[in-house]
Amino acid sequence: MSEAKKTAPWRFRQPSVLPGFGLSLGITLSWLVLIVLIPLSGLVFRASGLGWAKFVELALDPRTLNALKISFGTAFVAAVINLVFGVILAWVLVRYRFPGKRVIDAMVDLPFALPTAVAGIALTTLYAPNGWIGQFLEPLGLKVAFTPAGIVIALIFVGLPFVVRTVQPIMEEIDREVEEAAATLGASRFQTISRVLLPGLLPAGLTGFALAFARGVGEYGSVIFIAGNLPYVSEIAPL
């Protein structure tokens, strides 16, 4: 090593592959601390002040357990429904051309653009006993608003885009020639779907399911109104 490199090694430092990596990393970590770590540390600090005995008592309270059961149960049911109908909707948008296709494709992203509180108020207005849809369900003995069924409907609304937008790009990459080859070899339509198409869509479908389930477990704005938060009936864990 030359004498110049020994005395001033920083002058001969190799340039970074990612320009500005140090500055970007510093900004990212600072933002992470402000947005995530500080609120979480405050939550932990507040909980630690209760003491272990009080914390366990609150965690095992029947009201808390029931709220967790409702949140995870409704999120799972909504995610399963979104998985089935999300794949079907993605299939229709990719494989068929029909009037209004672009409108329906844009409406899929509506839950992303619409404030969750507005969605909750709208769904409550529709499914309340005196709502546009609820008034027809009430005589049949079907109550949606202020029940777990209303929570499932709200979670279906907010979770559907996760499945559609996860499956849609994968479905667009599947060539029609694969289906034609399967039909040429004597496969029925059901066999083509179950043995040729679905195996390739399964990872994307499971990813969309996981995203919809995670969103459903933590969803608050669109659920809080239609749930009614009746203890032991429709009270959700995020509350």
Side-chain angles (χ1 to χ4, degrees), residues 96 198 227:
Y96 297 98
L198 287 184

Short mmCIF file of all heavy atoms in Angstrom, two decimals, residues 96 198 227:
data_model
loop_
_atom_site.label_atom_id
_atom_site.label_comp_id
_atom_site.label_asym_id
_atom_site.label_seq_id
_atom_site.Cartn_x
_atom_site.Cartn_y
_atom_site.Cartn_z
N TYR A 96 -61.72 -11.53 -20.18
CA TYR A 96 -62.91 -11.16 -20.95
C TYR A 96 -62.92 -9.66 -21.24
O TYR A 96 -62.38 -8.86 -20.48
CB TYR A 96 -64.18 -11.54 -20.19
CG TYR A 96 -64.32 -13.03 -19.96
CD1 TYR A 96 -63.95 -13.60 -18.73
CD2 TYR A 96 -64.80 -13.87 -20.95
CE1 TYR A 96 -64.05 -14.96 -18.52
CE2 TYR A 96 -64.92 -15.23 -20.74
CZ TYR A 96 -64.55 -15.77 -19.53
OH TYR A 96 -64.66 -17.12 -19.31
N LEU A 198 -54.82 -23.21 -11.41
CA LEU A 198 -54.80 -22.92 -9.97
C LEU A 198 -53.45 -23.16 -9.31
O LEU A 198 -53.07 -22.38 -8.42
CB LEU A 198 -55.89 -23.73 -9.26
CG LEU A 198 -57.33 -23.27 -9.49
CD1 LEU A 198 -58.30 -24.09 -8.65
CD2 LEU A 198 -57.49 -21.78 -9.17
N ALA A 227 -70.40 -2.29 13.23
CA ALA A 227 -70.32 -3.28 14.30
C ALA A 227 -71.20 -2.89 15.49
O ALA A 227 -71.82 -3.74 16.12
CB ALA A 227 -68.88 -3.46 14.75
#
